[in-house]
Amino acid sequence: MSRGGNNCFLASPGMVNVPIRQRVPMREREFRRRGSEREHEVRRLRDLIRSAVLAGAYPGGHLPSEAELMTGHGATRATVRTALAMLRAEGLIERTQGIGTHAVMAPVRADMEEALGVLRPANPALFTTGTRPQLLDRSTVPVPETLTGWLRVPPGTPCLRLEYVSVIGEQPFAIATNYVLFPEAGRLLDVPFRVDWYTLLAEAGVVLGESEFVMDSVLADELSASLLSVAVGSALLAMDQTITSPDGRVFNVAFIRMRTDRYRFVTHARAPL
């Protein structure tokens, strides 16, 4: 990943350097007064169960009974039921009378290096068996003016705009819009787009040098909400990505909007000895 930084997508230095105390003057004791103790217990339990579900901790996706959750977490039945109701409203679990509570989806997990595209997945089956694109656009357009500086090309330079919705099974999880310069774009024009973005690049013979993400969040507008099957105003993970060739030339800029409940990034770091 480039150490130079994707400065085109970062906040201005003035914003980054403003002390947190000036931007968020509220005192710690004011936070503590918000919410009853039971509401905090529900929040904590919701987070614990959610993490366990997404980590695949429950065999077959079958959650423990209410009584087992009460005993295991020292919680009241009302707290357990409220936490499960929140997870059900999120679309993570389903409760069936006489059967119990089951997880209804499992997100894709990938090491950050794999998500960046610099490494192929250790378990390609995660992508090749369940992921497919729904193509929205694959056309040649002038490079948008706001990208000419970052791509280091003059206005009017042609690029390939490749836009798609990624689907896992039958569930959409991301919208991506890529602006690809030639000659790499020329290799992508006629190659079938069958699985995921990095498979397409590999099958087209496009070699990556470096890849970088800048992440924040954005609220889903009506069209994005419709494409991703979420409510308008839902928080989406927003990722701006650049990809360079092995010689360091930026040839792709992508804007990705992703459902946060459909994908989990995994990264590891070791403190220096």
Side-chain angles (χ1 to χ4, degrees):
M1 192 163 59
S2 173
R3 294 187 181 276
N6 190 348
N7 294 320
C8 284
F9 301 126
L10 293 177
S12 66
M15 182 61 176
V16 173
N17 293 329
V18 173
I20 292 178
R21 286 184 180 273
Q22 294 181 21
R23 288 188 280 122
V24 188
M26 186 174 292
R27 301 188 193 94
E28 181 180 359
R29 64 174 179 270
E30 292 176 346
F31 281 111
R32 289 179 176 175
R33 284 201 296 265
R34 293 189 174 186
S36 66
E37 183 55 34
R38 179 181 178 276
E39 288 173 322
H40 284 296
E41 289 176 354
V42 169
R43 172 182 58 81
R44 297 178 191 120
L45 182 58
R46 184 271 321 274
D47 291 346
L48 288 167
I49 298 174
R50 185 180 192 277
S51 178
V53 169
L54 294 177
Y58 300 125
H62 185 74
L63 274 66
S65 66
E66 288 185 2
E68 290 170 326
L69 289 171
M70 291 166 59
T71 300
H73 295 86
T76 66
R77 186 176 299 276
T79 296
V80 168
R81 287 184 173 178
T82 304
L84 292 177
M86 294 171 70
L87 294 174
R88 186 176 184 275
E90 186 180 335
L92 185 65
I93 64 171
E94 188 56 75
R95 310 197 71 191
T96 305
Q97 184 69 31
I99 297 179
T101 306
H102 290 79
V104 295
M105 53 78 61
V108 170
R109 289 172 56 90
D111 286 338
M112 184 60 75
E113 292 82 358
E114 295 174 6
L116 284 165
V118 294
L119 294 179
R120 293 308 298 151
N123 182 9
L126 284 175
F127 294 87
T128 58
T129 61
T131 304
R132 59 185 174 84
Q134 294 179 342
L135 196 61
L136 300 176
D137 180 47
R138 177 154 41 176
S139 59
T140 300
V141 300
V143 170
E145 183 178 356
T146 53
L147 297 183
T148 55
W150 183 242
L151 291 169
R152 299 179 183 177
V153 295
T157 300
C159 71
L160 173 65
R161 184 176 61 205
L162 199 156
E163 188 169 48
Y164 60 94
V165 176
S166 284
V167 178
I168 299 177
E170 298 300 323
Q171 294 295 321
F173 75 94
I175 308 167
T177 305
N178 291 269
Y179 297 92
V180 192
L181 291 180
F182 289 85
E184 289 83 1
R187 300 176 187 147
L188 300 175
L189 289 174
D190 299 319
V191 175
F193 194 1
R194 303 176 297 103
V195 186
D196 66 90
W197 172 245
Y198 300 114
T199 297
L200 174 65
L201 293 178
E203 292 181 346
V206 176
V207 180
L208 281 63
E210 296 185 349
S211 176
E212 179 174 290
F213 281 149
V214 174
M215 302 184 188
D216 57 18
S217 63
V218 65
L219 301 182
D221 55 77
E222 289 189 13
L223 179 56
S224 297
S226 175
L227 290 171
L228 293 176
S229 298
V230 298
V232 173
S234 297
L236 302 175
L237 178 62
M239 300 189 293
D240 300 337
Q241 182 187 27
T242 54
I243 300 177
T244 72
S245 59
D247 62 3
R249 178 180 58 88
V250 177
F251 71 85
N252 181 70
V253 176
F255 301 93
I256 305 163
R257 303 295 178 258
M258 180 178 290
R259 289 183 58 164
T260 56
D261 60 345
R262 292 292 185 261
Y263 208 96
R264 305 195 91 193
F265 296 110
V266 182
T267 185
H268 305 274
R270 182 183 296 274
L273 300 176

